[in-house]
Amino acid sequence: MTNDPTAAPGSDPSEENPWAMQLVVLRDKHALAREVDVCEAAARAVVGLLDDERAAPGGPWNQAIHAWADGGRIRKLVRRADGKRWDDVQELPGVLVTQAGPEGFGPAGVRAFPPCPEHPLPKTLSKLQMGGTVFPSEHASAHTAAQVLIEVTPLEQITSGKLAAQCAHAAQLLYAALDEPRRAQWRADGFRVEVRWPDRGEWAANPRPVSVVDAGFTELDGPTETARAVWRADLES
């Protein structure tokens, strides 16, 4: 299952007012989270939002999610906040995931919001910075027993903010492909994922059923495969 945003309505920044899901990451310069924890928290927040009862038919988020996702519209924009600005965004409807880091690092926090047109946004979101979001590149996941494995490309240099969006894309596509018994298993585990960085040989030798191809409108030069996902039990079958 491959997602290529180059073919997806709503992914081209030349569109007048494309839809996007806004993600806000906690970036506390006094207690920075690790990149791996931010990426995992972003994946969990997005899947948690899609699985939320408010996203179900009849729920207040359902129509917005379908308007965004139908036809492949899964554009995500990652912003950063700390202090009062982080506290302020918690007042907006959404799904928050926090994930503890190891000693010496702060917790990762990501809040996902229901998709909407990019303009206008609530001021608490629109004033937050997007580009250049970077976290320490510590890549040893604490979730090696998670039921979902997400792998990110070793071939490109990608900022932490954009990488979080790519991991969230991969998690969303896998969630969409799962049957309800597997969704229930994942739900019971808090939608945990393990994000890992394979080496070049492993990346070349091990394609996965879910693949994310970024359109290359921002950091990357042209369409680029950025992330993959797989249900871990399928690796053992």
Side-chain angles (χ1 to χ4, degrees), residues 20-183:
M21 177 185 283
Q22 305 289 329
L23 306 178
V24 177
V25 301
L26 171 63
R27 192 178 186 281
D28 182 350
K29 64 182 179 181
H30 301 295
L32 282 173
R34 303 184 304 163
E35 183 174 70
V36 63
D37 293 318
V38 172
C39 289
E40 291 176 352
R44 296 173 67 190
V46 168
V47 175
L49 186 147
L50 297 173
D51 191 72
D52 193 281
E53 62 182 11
R54 290 165 288 184
W61 299 346
N62 183 261
Q63 289 188 353
I65 289 171
H66 280 288
W68 167 68
D70 289 350
R73 302 183 182 98
I74 62 168
R75 191 163 185 250
K76 298 177 180 70
L77 297 178
V78 176
R79 301 170 184 270
R80 61 184 182 271
D82 64 0
K84 185 178 184 303
R85 291 188 172 186
W86 174 251
D87 294 337
D88 287 346
V89 299
Q90 307 311 312
E91 301 301 318
L92 299 174
V95 170
L96 170 66
V97 169
T98 57
Q99 183 166 308
E103 184 176 356
F105 294 92
V110 179
R111 190 169 183 85
F113 300 90
C116 63
E118 286 188 42
H119 306 287
L121 288 176
K123 289 184 179 180
T124 49
L125 289 177
S126 63
K127 66 185 180 182
L128 300 178
Q129 291 182 303
M130 288 193 293
T133 299
V134 176
F135 290 88
S137 56
E138 298 282 337
H139 292 162
S141 175
H143 291 171
T144 54
Q147 297 175 89
V148 169
L149 175 65
I150 297 174
E151 296 172 320
V152 299
T153 177
L155 308 179
E156 304 289 341
Q157 293 293 319
I158 306 175
T159 63
S160 304
K162 186 172 182 68
L163 195 59
Q166 304 305 302
C167 291
H169 281 337
Q172 177 180 344
L173 291 172
L174 184 63
Y175 174 83
L178 293 177
D179 58 24
E180 184 51 39
R182 284 187 167 184
R183 286 186 181 181

